[in-house]
């Protein structure tokens, strides 16, 4: 499949300055980065395409070759250089620093790979999420081997530069006009040879270990929020920087409250007599119970707002409200005397529906008119 024009990929003109190219790349890289699109293969492919275009158009020599010869001028398989299939972190780290954990810069000699980022799923109760707390997390990971200090070589010895690839980690095979780069078969792409490996890590430089971390969860976090702990991911290869740990927050469903942003919602049952005559009821909040005044003739479904009884935003520190929806509860398990009293009460309303039940009267008038219009 033919490649798209690099200027088209970034959405810039051929006379675009390096600053304009960088700005376009930053916008598209943020959009397609795998951290923002987990499991999305199309976004991953788009990110690679955008990054390749950026690398070519910000390198003056490669850009000149591309402008003159197109993709053929920068195709590494034709001896023209190119980016060589570097990983996601290469250029993204140059532009964005540690927004997604950074990465290694490209160059001549191969550098040991930065450690992988880790993700820990943390489930909280609503009360914990709203008030914040400190949590101890036990994380299984790869850490630098202590005896060899992450080098992979036995104490007292050092890795030596590979004589086949001279530390590059790759060798180039030429067949006439074509050149193909592949991992060095001697050092397997590492660029170094460990002649006397460490007994504990067997030359890997890392060992599996569980570590315990104390993580401070700020008040107001919600499902989908993510906390980044820099340098707490897996150790890098042979002394390279470690990755990061991302704590992914999810909040369990609550028995009483529902959360929408910084506001809390709950339904409060009230009796028929309380709705009709008014009075005070106790309403639960996350800080304890408060009294809510119910006006006379309150209809079921009415919403009452209790300001400042919601959630404090983790970002703006603004405090939301508690919205209480009153729901009139029909009495059950009535005895004969209670039923008789209700019948007597119902009798006092006969012929006065417009006065005492305006909604019901309006509804039935509407139904009546509907059938009249239907039959006319």
């Amino acid at each position: 499949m033919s490649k798209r024009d690099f200027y088209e990929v970034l959405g810039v003109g051929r006379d675009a300055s390096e600053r304009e190219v960088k700005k376009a790349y930053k916008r598209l890289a943020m959009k397609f980065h795998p951290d923002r699109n987990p499991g999305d293969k199309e976004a991953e492919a788009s990110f690679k395409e955008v990054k390749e275009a950026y690398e070519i158009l910000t390198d003056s020599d490669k850009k000149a070759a591309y402008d003159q010869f197109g993709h053929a001028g920068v195709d590494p398989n034709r001896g023209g250089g190119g980016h060589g299939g570097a990983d996601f972190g290469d250029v993204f780290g140059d532009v964005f620093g540690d927004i997604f954990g950074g990465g290694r810069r490209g160059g001549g000699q191969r550098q040991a790979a930065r450690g992988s980022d880790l993700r820990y799923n943390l489930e909280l109760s609503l009360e914990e999420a709203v008030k914040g707390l400190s949590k101890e997390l036990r994380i299984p990971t790869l850490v630098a081997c202590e005896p060899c200090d992450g080098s992979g070589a036995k104490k007292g010895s050092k890795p030596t530069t590979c004589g086949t690839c001279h530390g590059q980690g790759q060798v180039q095979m030429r067949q006439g006009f074509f050149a193909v780069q592949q991992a060095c078969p001697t050092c397997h792409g590492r660029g170094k040879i460990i002649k006397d490996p460490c007994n504990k890590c067997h030359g890997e430089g890392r060992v599996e270990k569980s570590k315990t971390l104390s993580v401070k969860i700020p008040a107001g976090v919600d499902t989908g929020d993510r906390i980044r702990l820099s340098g707490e991911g897996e150790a890098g290869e042979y002394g390279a920087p470690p990755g990061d740990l991302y704590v992914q927050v999810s909040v369990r469903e609550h028995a009483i409250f529902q959360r929408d942003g910084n506001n809390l919602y709950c339904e409060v049952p009230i009796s028929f007599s309380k709705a009709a005559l008014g009075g005070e009821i106790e309403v639960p909040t996350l800080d304890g119970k408060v009294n809510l005044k119910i006006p006379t003739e309150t209809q079921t479904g009415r919403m009452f707002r209790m300001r400042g009884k919601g959630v404090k935003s983790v970002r703006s520190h603004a405090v939301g409200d508690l919205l209480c929806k009153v729901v009139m509860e029909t009495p059950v398990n009535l005895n004969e005397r209670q039923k008789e009293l209700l019948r007597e009460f119902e009798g006092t309303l006969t012929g006065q529906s417009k006065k005492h039940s305006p909604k019901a009267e309006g509804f039935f008038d509407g139904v009546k008119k509907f059938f009249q219009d239907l039959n006319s």
Side-chain angles (χ1 to χ4, degrees):
M1 184 174 65
S2 61
K3 289 185 177 181
R4 286 201 298 157
D5 180 81
F6 286 150
Y7 293 97
E8 178 185 342
V9 168
L10 295 179
V12 298
R14 288 187 169 270
D15 57 348
S17 65
E18 184 174 338
R19 182 178 180 182
E20 291 173 326
V21 170
K22 193 171 185 177
K23 183 178 180 181
Y25 168 73
K26 182 176 180 179
R27 175 177 55 81
L28 293 170
M30 290 286 285
K31 178 180 178 181
F32 295 120
H33 195 275
D35 279 0
R36 291 197 165 190
N37 303 274
D40 188 338
K41 296 298 183 183
E42 291 186 6
E44 182 178 322
S46 296
F47 180 85
K48 289 180 178 179
E49 183 182 44
V50 166
K51 186 170 71 65
E52 182 184 19
Y54 169 80
E55 288 179 323
I56 298 299
L57 298 184
T58 53
D59 184 303
S60 57
D61 293 334
K62 293 177 182 178
K63 182 178 183 297
Y66 177 76
D67 288 343
Q68 185 173 1
F69 302 109
H71 292 294
V74 292
D75 188 343
N77 292 331
R78 300 190 181 185
H83 72 293
D87 63 15
F88 285 131
D90 288 349
V91 180
F92 197 79
D94 293 344
V95 179
F96 300 109
D98 65 354
I99 294 176
F100 288 98
R104 62 177 178 86
R105 293 178 181 267
Q109 186 172 351
R110 181 191 183 275
Q111 298 179 12
R114 172 184 177 274
S116 297
D117 293 336
L118 298 177
R119 169 173 167 166
Y120 185 93
N121 295 323
L122 179 62
E123 188 177 68
L124 302 173
S125 68
L126 179 61
E127 288 83 357
E128 289 174 329
V130 169
K131 296 179 180 179
L133 76 163
S134 291
K135 279 273 191 181
E136 284 199 345
L137 310 180
R138 188 170 177 80
I139 312 294
T141 184
L142 290 174
V143 299
C145 177
E146 291 184 6
C148 68
D149 198 25
S151 71
K154 185 179 288 186
K155 191 173 182 178
S157 67
K158 293 182 178 180
T160 59
T161 301
C162 175
T164 302
C165 65
H166 306 291
Q168 298 299 310
Q170 292 183 330
V171 293
Q172 194 173 69
M173 307 292 291
R174 290 188 174 274
Q175 293 182 345
F177 181 73
F178 296 98
V180 178
Q181 280 191 333
Q182 63 183 30
C184 175
T186 303
C187 65
H188 305 290
R190 293 175 177 175
K192 293 184 178 294
I193 299 292
I194 299 175
K195 295 182 178 179
D196 196 5
C198 171
N199 292 329
K200 184 173 182 179
C201 67
H202 307 290
E204 294 297 323
R206 301 182 294 180
V207 293
E208 292 185 2
K209 186 178 179 180
S210 291
K211 60 182 179 180
T212 301
L213 299 174
S214 181
V215 181
K216 185 176 181 180
I217 309 298
V221 295
D222 200 0
T223 295
D225 286 339
R226 191 171 68 166
I227 300 167
R228 176 174 176 262
L229 302 178
S230 179
E232 296 294 352
E234 287 187 352
E237 289 184 350
Y238 308 110
D244 301 327
L245 171 65
Y246 291 92
V247 180
Q248 191 76 34
V249 174
S250 64
V251 181
R252 291 192 295 270
E253 187 174 319
H254 198 272
I256 298 174
F257 300 106
Q258 291 181 325
R259 180 176 175 178
D260 182 11
N262 297 329
N263 292 329
L264 294 176
Y265 293 83
C266 71
E267 287 190 354
V268 182
I270 60 174
S271 66
F272 165 74
S273 58
K274 187 73 71 176
L277 301 176
E280 283 192 350
I281 59 172
E282 282 190 338
V283 173
T285 72
L286 292 178
D287 298 319
K289 295 180 179 179
V290 296
N291 290 329
L292 174 63
K293 186 175 181 180
I294 303 296
T296 59
E297 301 176 0
T298 293
Q299 301 297 310
T300 188
R302 180 172 176 179
M303 198 78 75
F304 291 88
R305 182 184 295 270
M306 306 188 75
R307 298 194 178 277
K309 294 297 182 181
V311 182
K312 185 177 181 180
S313 171
V314 71
R315 295 173 179 83
S316 68
H317 303 297
V319 182
D321 304 325
L322 172 61
L323 301 172
C324 301
K325 179 182 178 181
V326 295
V327 180
M328 189 171 63
E329 188 173 32
T330 302
V332 297
N333 300 322
L334 299 176
N335 58 36
E336 286 303 319
R337 176 58 180 158
Q338 291 167 332
K339 292 178 182 179
E340 183 61 31
L341 288 172
L342 284 176
R343 292 189 190 101
E344 290 180 13
F345 173 73
E346 185 68 22
T348 65
L349 302 179
T350 303
Q352 302 182 50
S353 57
K354 287 186 177 181
K355 180 179 180 181
H356 299 296
S357 304
K359 286 187 178 180
E361 185 70 19
F363 173 77
F364 288 115
D365 285 346
V367 171
K368 191 176 188 181
K369 185 176 185 304
F370 171 78
F371 282 109
Q372 287 174 347
D373 293 342
L374 193 65
N375 295 326
S376 62

